[in-house]
Amino acid sequence: MHRSFLAFGLLFVSLLAVGCATSRQQPAKPAPVAVTPPPKQPTAEETLSYGLGRLIVADLSHYYFSPGEIEMIVMGVQDQLSEPTALSEDDRKQIAMGLQAMAEKRANDRIDEEKAASGVHLAELGGREGAKTLDTGIVILAMSRGDGAYATEEQFLKLHSRAWLRDGTEIVNSFAAGEPTIIQPKYFLPCWKEVLPQVKVGGRAQFACPSDQVYGDQGRPGQIPPGAMVAFDIELLKVLDTPEDDEAKFSEGAADGPPGSPPAAN
């Protein structure tokens, strides 16, 4: 009897152990799947309100607001919506004057920072083997003078151009696009006017220019930061008496023209 009870106990413990092991090996039941309702389709008025927010931010981009300042702007909007308060004329003037002064200071600070960084990069380029730095700060990196003709101020030059910023951001590359441009030398940027008269048709020059030799403190919105240096790779292909002598695109220095032309007047 004692042996039977002991055997039964051992069998029970064995079965319990197997059961526990089996339960541990069984995969856990999957968690219930949360059903996310489809996103609410905004109304026409909500879409317009969203667009207004984007317009406001686009117009304020030149203030270079920090994340903390953006939080304060949102707080001001929320407070004014919850408890509308009329601002006095003096308050409006003080805020407007303060914002204008802040925008000007931040813009000037960014220009100074860009000029300093560009200066460091130009110095590094000027220290490379074979490079030559001119009195204007232009750095000629390489030059093949060519054996064709020189272009006069009133003639037209068909050329390939590539331009990039100090961080390598490419602005234009007609070599890759296979689309040369026609420009009159009188529309050249100052640095082009200094370097390219040394190059004949068939020649090519790579050079880097400080901001005062390209787009200055204005830069080129969406392409070139204010105060930025620009590097160029130019190949002169042909001298023309009129732009109609060739099918390449003619640029008169418009805002959408290549970097070899000055920015359009405001």
Side-chain angles (χ1 to χ4, degrees):
M1 180 71 179
H2 178 72
R3 289 181 180 177
S4 299
F5 182 79
L6 179 60
F8 178 78
L10 290 173
L11 178 62
F12 177 78
V13 171
S14 299
L15 291 174
L16 182 62
V18 171
C20 291
T22 304
S23 65
R24 285 196 298 268
Q25 294 171 0
Q26 290 178 346
K29 293 182 179 180
V33 178
V35 179
T36 304
K40 174 189 172 185
Q41 188 69 23
T43 64
E45 290 80 4
E46 289 171 339
T47 300
L48 287 173
S49 300
Y50 174 77
L52 174 61
R54 293 187 65 91
L55 284 174
I56 292 173
V57 172
D59 287 341
L60 298 179
S61 60
H62 59 287
Y63 289 101
Y64 304 108
F65 287 120
S66 68
E69 291 167 343
I70 292 174
E71 288 182 9
M72 295 302 295
I73 293 172
V74 173
M75 185 184 300
V77 171
Q78 292 173 336
D79 289 349
Q80 184 64 19
L81 289 174
S82 60
E83 297 181 14
T85 303
L87 293 175
S88 68
E89 190 64 27
D90 286 342
D91 287 340
R92 292 175 181 270
K93 287 182 179 179
Q94 289 295 325
I95 293 172
M97 291 172 60
L99 286 172
Q100 181 178 355
M102 182 176 71
E104 290 176 355
K105 181 181 184 305
R106 291 184 174 182
N108 289 332
D109 288 346
R110 289 208 163 210
I111 291 173
D112 291 341
E113 291 171 3
E114 180 59 44
K115 284 183 176 179
S118 292
V120 170
H121 188 61
L122 285 166
E124 188 273 326
L125 293 176
R128 294 183 180 180
E129 184 177 356
K132 179 183 178 182
T133 302
L134 307 181
D135 292 340
T136 53
I138 298 170
V139 179
I140 298 179
L141 301 169
M143 181 181 290
S144 171
R145 295 188 184 274
D147 55 7
Y150 287 112
T152 67
E153 282 278 308
E154 298 304 319
Q155 287 182 305
F156 298 83
L157 266 175
K158 179 181 179 181
L159 53 84
H160 269 307
S161 65
R162 175 175 174 254
W164 63 97
L165 302 177
R166 61 180 174 83
D167 63 357
T169 299
E170 196 169 76
I171 304 165
V172 68
N173 188 344
S174 71
F175 292 96
E179 297 178 355
T181 304
I182 296 174
I183 308 178
Q184 266 187 303
K186 66 181 180 181
Y187 289 118
F188 282 173
L189 290 164
C191 68
W192 282 39
K193 287 186 176 181
E194 180 159 357
V195 175
L196 293 186
Q198 306 176 49
V199 183
K200 299 179 181 180
V201 169
R204 186 167 178 172
Q206 292 90 38
F207 51 100
C209 309
S211 62
D212 62 349
Q213 296 295 311
V214 276
Y215 294 99
D217 291 351
Q218 290 73 39
R220 194 171 204 167
Q223 287 186 311
I224 303 168
M229 61 142 287
V230 183
F232 297 97
D233 181 2
I234 309 296
E235 182 181 13
L236 304 187
L237 303 175
K238 190 177 182 181
V239 174
L240 305 169
D241 290 325
T242 66
E244 289 77 17
D245 291 341
D246 197 280
E247 295 180 355
K249 178 183 177 182
F250 172 57
S251 171
E252 292 184 336
D256 60 348
S261 56
N266 294 327

